[in-house]
Amino acid sequence: MDYEETLDYLFRSVPMFQQVGGAAYKEGLENTLALDAHLGHPHRSFRTIHVAGTNGKGSCSHMLAAILQSAGYKTGLYTSPHLVDFRERIRVDGAKMPEQSVVDFVERHRPFFEPLRPSFFELATAMAFQHFATEKVDVAVVEVGLGGRLDCTNIIRPALSIITNISFDHVQFLGNTLAKIAEEKAGIIKSCTPVVVGEANNETRPVFARRAQAVQAPVVFAEDAPLLRSWQRTDGGKWLYQTEDYADLVGELGGLCQLKNTNTLLAALRLLQEQGFRLHENAVRNGFARVTSLTGLMGRWQQLEEHPDVVCDTGHNTGGMSYVAEQLAQYPCRHLHIVMGMVSDKDADGVLSLLPADAEYYFTRAKVARAMPEETLQAAALRHRLHGHCFPTVREALAAAKRNASPSDLIFVGGSTFVVADLLGDCYPSVG
């Protein structure tokens, strides 16, 4: 099989949460442990940093990887989901896993894993750890897929755990209260291993504190003693941070959510330095300033065009969309156009309640089985006095928005990671 045939085989043969949702979710670590033993426990050959959270874990993982790369560490990065190409999930020093390596892994280990019937994510995680071991990385930043306690990444013994925040998402698997969701995320806290919690409230903080105490893990709540002192916008839409440790630190990622992520990351950097990681100031500055080029990060308040401005963001739940809505309210434009799609297992009413009524909406659906029909989304939007028209594809929705927009308008595309994936893959292939 060539690469495309291998991907087709994987997408057809193992259930993929990205496409089908809950049907692909497998609770428990049995398959993961079996795959890990079969491969010779590859994750034991390199150091790891584990990152969980409802929102922000992707940005934090990429920024941390960019800093580690800049410091001279050969760095693996495992994230999900992918936007355009499966290999975005598995990178070494920013380079995607080679196509032939994907093909070789599947062909070599197919006789073992076919009878096991792993999920797509279980297989992708095993592939990532094997690739990192083969490449002899020094350290890998590993993003949790879903939850934490039973996530298949949770076989690692990290040097540091990071939990960015807790909000409502995947409640059918993780629980319908913040405390229950926090219990699942807290499952990545390991014995005597330091953990940074980026944001906590009265409901979630006791959960993290109890778990940390139970396993004797030093815990830092980043909000208790913020290392981020102040911030302002640069002319290019980036952030200029003043921090406890670094003056005039330029942050390339311009989303409002990056303020919380940055404070979390600054606390994490201190703990890593205490553990002997050589993260000199130039490495930190380079990682913050060049994260997209160093790691290939896409879809975080990403501007794709000007006049009119076209911006996309992967925020897809109420926690993430609250930052997007605030940023849209602050954006200097004549009129706002929103290309919007969601998946059926998300809280559409919660997200729609955050969005502005004075925008023109273009309701659409992504090319995944989980996508909410655009007519269903339009009907839900009408309950929140949001008005617009329906389009069967993201490409057609964007084209309509461009026809209606003036040079001084803003076109925002989002609501779902998969809408952004279609946007980048179909409309801006050179970006992806």
Side-chain angles (χ1 to χ4, degrees):
M1 295 188 293
D2 63 16
Y3 177 64
E4 293 303 327
E5 290 168 336
T6 299
L7 287 188
D8 184 61
Y9 162 78
L10 288 175
F11 295 159
R12 285 186 295 103
S13 301
V14 293
M16 183 182 182
F17 191 93
Q18 185 163 337
Q19 292 287 338
V20 301
Y25 179 65
K26 292 193 175 183
E27 188 173 280
L29 298 176
E30 291 83 3
N31 283 351
T32 298
L33 292 170
L35 284 164
D36 183 56
H38 168 72
L39 296 171
H41 310 291
H43 66 91
R44 297 179 184 175
S45 66
F46 49 85
R47 301 184 80 181
T48 55
I49 298 163
H50 210 184
V51 187
T54 307
N55 295 297
K57 63 182 184 292
S59 294
C60 282
S61 295
H62 282 80
M63 285 194 288
L64 189 51
I67 292 167
L68 288 162
Q69 288 171 226
S70 299
Y73 291 99
K74 191 170 188 179
T75 305
L77 175 62
Y78 180 54
T79 59
S80 61
H82 63 271
L83 293 177
V84 179
D85 181 357
F86 164 76
R87 298 176 303 129
E88 295 166 29
R89 297 168 178 252
I90 306 170
R91 296 179 182 267
V92 174
D93 284 349
K96 290 181 285 190
M97 183 175 179
E99 292 182 357
Q100 191 58 47
S101 297
V102 177
V103 174
D104 291 345
F105 179 90
V106 171
E107 289 186 345
R108 184 176 301 123
H109 301 292
R110 191 171 159 184
F112 176 81
F113 69 70
E114 277 190 345
L116 197 64
R117 298 181 62 81
S119 71
F120 184 91
F121 191 72
E122 287 170 335
L123 198 57
T125 302
M127 188 186 302
F129 291 169
Q130 179 67 47
H131 182 60
F132 296 156
T134 299
E135 290 295 306
K136 295 181 171 57
V137 302
D138 300 311
V139 59
V141 180
V142 178
E143 179 191 1
V144 167
L146 192 157
R149 181 175 63 94
L150 296 175
D151 187 78
C152 60
T153 64
N154 204 29
I155 62 171
I156 62 176
R157 293 290 168 179
L160 174 70
S161 301
I162 301 172
I163 301 173
T164 56
N165 56 44
I166 302 296
S167 63
F168 289 105
D169 202 8
H170 300 299
V171 295
Q172 67 271 44
F173 308 116
L174 305 181
N176 58 5
T177 69
L178 291 179
K180 288 179 180 178
I181 297 171
E183 288 279 3
E184 293 300 315
K185 308 285 187 185
I188 74 163
I189 301 175
K190 302 294 195 306
S191 175
C192 302
T193 300
V195 56
V196 172
V197 177
E199 301 174 61
N201 59 29
N202 292 337
E203 212 174 332
T204 62
R205 187 185 184 108
V207 174
F208 297 131
R210 281 196 304 270
R211 170 64 182 175
Q213 184 178 29
V215 297
Q216 296 182 304
V219 60
V220 172
F221 291 94
E223 291 178 314
D224 286 359
L227 299 180
L228 179 59
R229 293 174 174 174
S230 64
W231 52 88
Q232 64 185 69
R233 289 279 186 197
T234 69
D235 291 339
K238 302 176 182 180
W239 289 113
L240 182 65
Y241 300 122
Q242 305 300 329
T243 86
E244 191 78 19
D245 298 324
Y246 312 100
D248 297 325
L249 180 64
V250 176
E252 179 185 15
L253 303 181
L256 282 172
C257 59
Q258 302 306 333
L259 302 178
K260 296 286 190 179
N261 291 339
T262 294
N263 192 58
T264 303
L265 198 56
L266 291 169
L269 292 176
R270 278 195 175 182
L271 288 177
L272 288 172
Q273 288 165 334
E274 289 174 7
Q275 294 211 63
F277 281 85
R278 302 176 307 279
L279 304 177
H280 49 78
E281 181 173 340
N282 286 343
V284 175
R285 292 188 181 278
N286 195 54
F288 267 93
R290 298 181 55 228
V291 57
T292 58
S293 62
L294 287 170
T295 68
L297 178 63
M298 298 182 290
R300 272 60 170 192
W301 197 259
Q302 182 177 5
Q303 184 164 346
L304 299 165
E305 286 191 56
E306 295 180 335
H307 313 302
D309 292 351
V310 178
V311 171
C312 67
D313 193 274
T314 54
H316 57 274
N317 51 41
T318 53
M321 194 55 70
S322 64
Y323 287 107
V324 169
E326 185 179 354
Q327 193 140 10
L328 290 173
Q330 296 177 11
Y331 201 94
C333 64
R334 187 189 69 89
H335 190 60
L336 176 61
H337 306 259
I338 297 181
V339 175
M340 180 81 179
M342 295 191 68
V343 292
S344 296
D345 52 6
K346 298 296 180 184
D347 178 13
D349 282 310
V351 168
L352 292 166
S353 69
L354 299 169
L355 296 175
D358 58 350
E360 179 71 20
Y361 287 84
Y362 305 77
F363 302 107
T364 188
R365 72 166 81 186
K367 294 181 291 188
V368 295
R370 294 167 62 199
M372 180 182 293
E374 60 271 27
E375 296 87 357
T376 304
L377 182 59
Q378 181 189 41
L382 283 173
R383 296 196 294 269
H384 299 275
R385 300 178 183 175
L386 308 180
H387 299 277
H389 298 282
C390 291
F391 301 87
T393 67
V394 174
R395 181 193 290 274
E396 291 170 82
L398 177 65
K402 284 185 173 182
R403 286 194 299 271
N404 293 338
S406 74
S408 57
D409 288 357
L410 168 64
I411 299 172
F412 173 79
V413 184
S416 165
T417 300
F418 311 117
V419 166
V420 174
D422 283 4
L423 174 76
L424 297 176
D426 295 343
C427 306
Y428 299 93
S430 62
V431 174

